[in-house]
């Protein structure tokens, strides 16, 4: 951990666990693997200039905030997001704007994975969504990609596809 850093160690560990789940323990994790296959990417990184956080004046205990972040990161469905926001409101009062933006970012990340985006940059009121970088991916011959291209063609006044370094991105 000292040599490679905690984040890299955690990433390597996560990849090893995912590999074991898919290979040796696929029967045990069948439901989880099926859910994962519904999305085109493992995760979607979001880079934004918005303030996405649970303020310390809203939840003062650091340990409590960390648990809330972890719980939010594990949420997979729209219903669970609504329930999460409701629990925050019930426990701590009106949800601050930064926390609502954080919840919206989690929603965006989930949708982006389903649509085949690996990274989204939302800065200065411009959204750039980067498609799967593997050009040989089955994604590019999927109905999802075809529907995306149709939607983009119908809305070419507000969005366009760019290619740079053999990577496709959508700019809105």
């Amino acid at each position: 951990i000292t040599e490679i850093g905690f984040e890299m160690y955690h990433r390597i560990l996560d990849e090893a666990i995912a590999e074991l789940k898919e290979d040796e323990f696929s029967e045990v994790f069948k439901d989880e693997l099926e859910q994962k296959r519904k999305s085109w990417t493992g995760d979607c990184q979001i880079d934004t200039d918005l303030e996405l956080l649970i303020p310390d004046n809203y939840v003062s205990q650091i340990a409590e905030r960390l648990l809330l972040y972890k719980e939010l990161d594990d949420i997979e469905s729209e219903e669970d997001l609504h329930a999460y926001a409701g629990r925050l409101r019930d426990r701590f009062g009106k949800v601050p704007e930064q926390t609502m933006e954080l919840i919206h970012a989690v929603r965006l990340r989930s949708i982006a994975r389903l649509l085949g985006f690996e990274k989204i940059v939302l800065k200065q009121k411009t959204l750039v969504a980067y498609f799967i970088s593997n050009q040989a991916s089955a994604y590019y011959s999927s109905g999802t990609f075809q529907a995306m291209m149709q939607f983009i063609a119908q809305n070419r006044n507000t969005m366009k596809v760019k290619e740079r370094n053999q990577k496709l991105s959508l700019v809105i």
Side-chain angles (χ1 to χ4, degrees):
I1 295 174
T2 305
E3 292 292 318
I4 61 174
F6 181 75
E7 271 189 48
M8 180 59 81
Y9 170 77
H10 201 339
R11 185 176 296 135
I12 292 169
L13 187 60
D14 286 344
E15 288 174 7
I17 290 170
E19 191 174 311
L20 283 171
K21 284 180 178 182
E22 290 176 9
D23 295 338
E24 295 181 35
F25 299 100
S26 60
E27 279 302 310
V28 176
F29 294 98
K30 183 171 47 175
D31 293 339
E32 181 181 325
L33 292 171
E34 184 61 34
Q35 179 66 26
K36 186 178 175 185
R37 285 185 189 109
K38 290 180 181 177
S39 68
W40 287 102
T41 64
D43 200 5
C44 177
Q45 177 187 348
I46 296 182
D47 184 12
T48 183
D49 55 3
L50 297 173
E51 192 174 21
L52 308 175
L53 59 93
I54 301 171
D56 56 355
N57 63 354
Y58 183 62
V59 178
S60 59
Q61 297 291 321
I62 294 171
E64 183 69 26
R65 275 198 317 275
L66 289 174
L67 287 173
L68 290 170
Y69 282 124
K70 172 75 173 111
E71 182 183 349
L72 182 59
D73 190 49
D74 291 339
I75 291 177
E76 295 288 330
S77 71
E78 184 64 28
E79 296 80 26
D80 291 342
L81 275 176
H82 283 293
Y84 179 85
R87 285 192 305 277
L88 286 179
R89 208 172 4 269
D90 290 346
R91 288 180 65 196
F92 305 105
K94 184 177 184 249
V95 180
E97 184 177 336
Q98 307 100 310
T99 306
M100 286 308 299
E101 293 292 347
L102 176 63
I103 292 169
H104 295 318
V106 170
R107 178 179 293 115
L108 176 63
R109 185 180 74 180
S110 179
I111 293 168
R113 288 188 348 236
L114 293 173
L115 293 175
F117 296 117
E118 291 180 330
K119 180 178 180 180
I120 291 184
V121 177
L122 177 59
K123 292 186 177 180
Q124 298 174 356
K125 300 188 184 221
T126 300
L127 183 138
V128 181
Y130 295 89
F131 288 96
I132 294 172
S133 55
N134 178 5
Q135 296 289 326
S137 171
Y139 169 74
Y140 289 105
S141 59
S142 72
T144 302
F145 182 71
Q146 300 305 318
M148 285 288 300
M149 291 298 108
Q150 242 178 353
F151 183 78
I152 292 166
Q154 293 169 352
N155 295 281
R156 61 180 162 255
N157 293 337
T158 57
M159 55 182 67
K160 60 185 169 185
V161 175
K162 289 186 174 182
E163 183 177 2
R164 186 173 177 210
N165 298 330
Q166 297 182 344
K167 291 185 179 183
L168 286 179
S169 62
L170 170 65
V171 180
I172 303 173

